[in-house]
Amino acid sequence: MAARSYGACFLCQKVFVVKKMFRRMSAAAHLQSQVDFLKGELHRKHPGVTNLKTVHLPVELQAAAQSIIAGAELPRLTDRAQSLTNFLWSRKRAVEDSALRKKAVSLEKEFWEKAIEKRGDLDEQAMEDRVRRKVISELKRTTYHWTPIKFDEEMGVVYMAARLAGGYAAVKRALNEIKKKDPSFAPQSLLDFGSGLGTVVWASHSCWGDTLKEMVCVDGSGPMNILAERLLKGDNENAEPHIKHVYFRQFLPVSPKVQFDLVTAAFTLSELKNKTDREEAVMTLWRKTSSYLVLVENGTKEGHQMLMEARDSLLKKQDKVAHDTRPASVFAPCPHELMCPKLAGEPITPCNFQQLYQSLPLAGRTDQLREKFSFVILSRTEPVRSETEGVDWARLIAPVQRRTRHVHCRMCCPDGKLQHLVVTARKHSRDVYRCARISDWGDQVPIIQKSDEDTQTDSE
């Protein structure tokens, strides 16, 4: 009797488990039947994957750089390159005149109040002079002193040792967004503002070398233009350049009617002194853009905020001298055109990404490094939307945390909000779960719309 009861209980438990598994499989199958976001691709190659594996410099570019470095024979080059990297990473924007005036007024009021309390009926003119001197002294002591980087031949080589490989990796990763999401894009012309070493030319050529027919590099530094040309010619002035149809200028083309399919500015906005200069430069570059404008900066709080200033200017301000009236839309990385949610929190943290790359072989340097950068791409065309109803593509803004049968995804979503979502096969379908599991920081992941109950549970 006891044996039959035990057997019956065991059978009931087994039936319950089978039913539960069947319900889960049915729910997952139902979700999978609603969408086909893979479009025939493997999970590891789903449409949201835009990260690259380790980025290597083109062989010709690395050989030319090594030849130039060997010929320069600069002492302590590795240390100087590291110092420059640290300086660029810690660099801030110049304090705006309006902010400086506001601070001066506040300090003046504070010092006047203290002076009156301590000294009573002193000569007013003498007190005014004293307060003015104290205000100037305090402003000098506490205000960040922004200075432009002046490039001569030697400084250009140090900059190349410090930034060539990392800058190339960041630009190539940003351009891969366009190549992956708009495979039909075949640019014939390129304008690179603040071209420096010409890394944008090399990265663009690696993506669209078959179609690019004209590449204009604009940089106000003559020594940097010369160095970029030496790199193109393999450090042999009599040789033909490895990439043809590259033209160097020190000023932007004058005519506002001249447009380029692809316009870029990599690590350039940080070289402009104030917000007005940056806004004017961005508006000028947008007028010259016929398809895509790509802006890249260091992945610092300062770099990210400069990019958001540029993004907001192009989305919100009316250009009175525009010849191309097609509006700007955000192509990447933002899945929306609302205010960046990273700027709304306290403390403010940058929205940045990282790319693994092979560094230039210098003494004392690790072979593989990670470049942390921020970028924004704006388009003249309509923003790319998912063709499948019920799917939102969110951007991963942090590394994916992989756990047993679930993954933690921190994302920027199309509704303009940050979300921490725990993705499982049961709640989000097997395909969504597997795509989220193989994705990483910077990729996009498909999030199938769920019930309010699931959304609340996932975001907790």
Side-chain angles (χ1 to χ4, degrees):
M1 184 74 175
R4 281 201 301 272
S5 298
Y6 176 79
C9 290
F10 179 76
L11 183 61
C12 289
Q13 288 178 350
K14 195 169 183 179
V15 169
F16 174 77
V17 170
V18 170
K19 284 183 176 180
K20 189 174 181 181
M21 289 177 63
F22 180 78
R23 281 198 301 270
R24 288 183 179 179
M25 291 171 64
S26 298
H30 175 66
L31 284 170
Q32 284 177 303
S33 67
Q34 290 180 339
V35 296
D36 183 24
F37 57 83
L38 286 172
K39 299 177 183 177
E41 293 285 355
L42 298 173
H43 292 99
R44 69 174 183 272
K45 295 182 179 179
H46 70 79
V49 174
T50 48
N51 272 311
L52 298 170
K53 295 181 179 179
T54 304
V55 172
H56 296 258
L57 287 173
V59 175
E60 300 87 353
L61 177 57
Q62 178 161 316
Q66 287 180 271
S67 175
I68 292 171
I69 288 171
E73 296 182 344
L74 297 182
R76 300 175 49 254
L77 179 59
T78 303
D79 292 340
R80 292 172 68 180
Q82 186 59 52
S83 295
L84 178 60
T85 299
N86 294 342
F87 167 75
L88 293 172
W89 187 257
S90 63
R91 203 176 191 202
K92 295 179 172 59
R93 291 165 291 174
V95 179
E96 298 291 327
D97 290 342
S98 57
L100 202 59
R101 284 193 295 270
K102 185 177 179 181
K103 187 175 180 181
V105 169
S106 176
L107 287 171
E108 185 177 16
K109 181 181 178 182
E110 178 187 341
F111 291 153
W112 264 108
E113 290 174 352
K114 289 181 179 179
I116 291 171
E117 286 178 6
K118 288 182 178 180
R119 292 176 172 81
D121 297 330
L122 277 178
D123 178 61
E124 186 173 337
Q125 184 61 47
M127 190 182 294
E128 186 176 333
D129 292 341
R130 187 190 298 270
V131 167
R132 185 182 297 110
R133 287 196 299 270
K134 287 188 68 175
V135 168
I136 293 172
S137 175
E138 185 66 12
L139 287 175
K140 286 182 178 179
R141 188 182 68 83
T142 59
T143 302
Y144 177 77
H145 298 287
W146 184 91
T147 54
I149 301 176
K150 295 182 180 179
F151 290 100
D152 54 17
E153 184 177 350
E154 184 173 310
M155 187 61 177
V157 175
V158 174
Y159 184 83
M160 180 174 65
R163 297 295 305 133
L164 180 67
Y168 176 83
V171 171
K172 184 157 186 179
R173 166 65 183 82
L175 295 180
N176 193 53
E177 289 278 336
I178 303 175
K179 190 170 178 63
K180 179 70 182 282
K181 293 166 67 175
D182 187 1
S184 64
F185 181 59
Q188 295 191 10
S189 57
L190 163 72
L191 172 65
D192 182 22
F193 178 61
S195 54
L197 300 168
T199 49
V200 168
V201 164
W202 289 89
S204 301
H205 185 265
S206 71
C207 294
W208 302 288
D210 294 337
T211 62
L212 280 169
K213 304 301 181 188
E214 178 189 20
M215 289 171 273
V216 178
C217 295
V218 179
D219 198 294
S221 170
M224 287 299 278
N225 287 336
I226 293 171
L227 184 56
E229 196 162 11
R230 286 178 66 187
L231 288 170
L232 283 173
K233 291 185 175 183
D235 194 27
N236 180 355
E237 62 180 10
N238 297 319
E240 286 292 316
H242 291 293
I243 302 173
K244 301 185 185 303
H245 312 298
V246 180
Y247 309 98
F248 293 93
R249 303 283 185 271
Q250 286 190 285
F251 304 98
L252 283 168
V254 176
S255 174
K257 295 182 180 180
V258 176
Q259 286 190 317
F260 298 80
D261 297 328
L262 179 63
V263 178
T264 62
F267 310 102
T268 303
L269 296 181
S270 53
E271 295 302 317
L272 301 177
K273 186 175 182 180
N274 53 52
K275 186 176 180 179
T276 300
D277 289 350
R278 291 192 293 271
E279 185 174 296
E280 288 178 358
V282 167
M283 296 303 289
T284 300
L285 293 177
W286 181 243
R287 291 181 201 118
K288 297 189 176 301
T289 302
S290 66
S291 293
Y292 292 105
L293 171 62
V294 181
L295 305 174
V296 183
E297 288 295 333
N298 283 329
T300 60
K301 183 168 70 174
E302 296 289 320
H304 173 235
Q305 288 181 329
M306 282 187 280
L307 292 178
M308 292 302 98
E309 286 175 0
R311 171 187 180 270
D312 292 345
S313 293
L314 294 177
L315 291 178
K316 298 175 182 177
K317 294 198 174 181
Q318 186 77 24
D319 188 0
K320 297 179 181 179
V321 296
H323 290 270
D324 189 336
T325 57
R326 290 177 296 164
S329 62
V330 177
F331 182 82
C334 317
H336 58 82
E337 295 185 352
L338 303 170
M339 176 184 175
C340 176
K342 283 274 194 173
L343 299 178
E346 285 294 341
I348 293 175
T349 56
C351 180
N352 54 25
F353 307 96
Q354 62 180 12
Q355 176 60 54
L356 190 66
Y357 68 95
Q358 189 77 21
S359 66
L360 272 176
L362 296 176
R365 177 177 283 179
T366 308
D367 287 343
Q368 288 191 345
L369 298 172
R370 291 186 184 275
E371 176 74 6
K372 192 172 284 187
F373 65 99
S374 297
F375 75 102
V376 64
I377 303 176
L378 294 115
S379 170
R380 286 279 188 194
T381 59
E382 287 296 318
V384 176
R385 302 297 183 197
S386 171
E387 297 177 0
T388 312
E389 289 186 14
V391 177
D392 287 330
W393 290 88
R395 180 77 62 171
L396 290 165
I397 57 170
V400 173
Q401 294 177 308
R402 299 169 182 86
R403 301 292 184 263
T404 305
R405 289 183 294 189
H406 69 277
V407 293
H408 292 264
C409 296
R410 289 169 175 81
M411 309 169 299
C412 184
C413 299
D415 61 2
K417 296 179 181 178
L418 301 180
Q419 186 178 4
H420 174 197
L421 190 66
V422 181
V423 179
T424 66
R426 180 174 68 86
K427 285 186 179 181
H428 304 89
S429 89
R430 175 177 169 273
D431 284 337
V432 171
Y433 168 68
R434 291 189 65 182
C435 287
R437 194 169 187 88
I438 64 93
S439 299
D440 212 340
W441 185 4
D443 287 333
Q444 287 184 286
V445 289
I447 301 299
I448 296 177
Q449 294 175 358
K450 308 177 297 304
S451 66
D452 293 339
E453 182 181 352
D454 284 342
T455 303
Q456 183 178 359
T457 303
D458 290 340
S459 60
E460 287 177 351

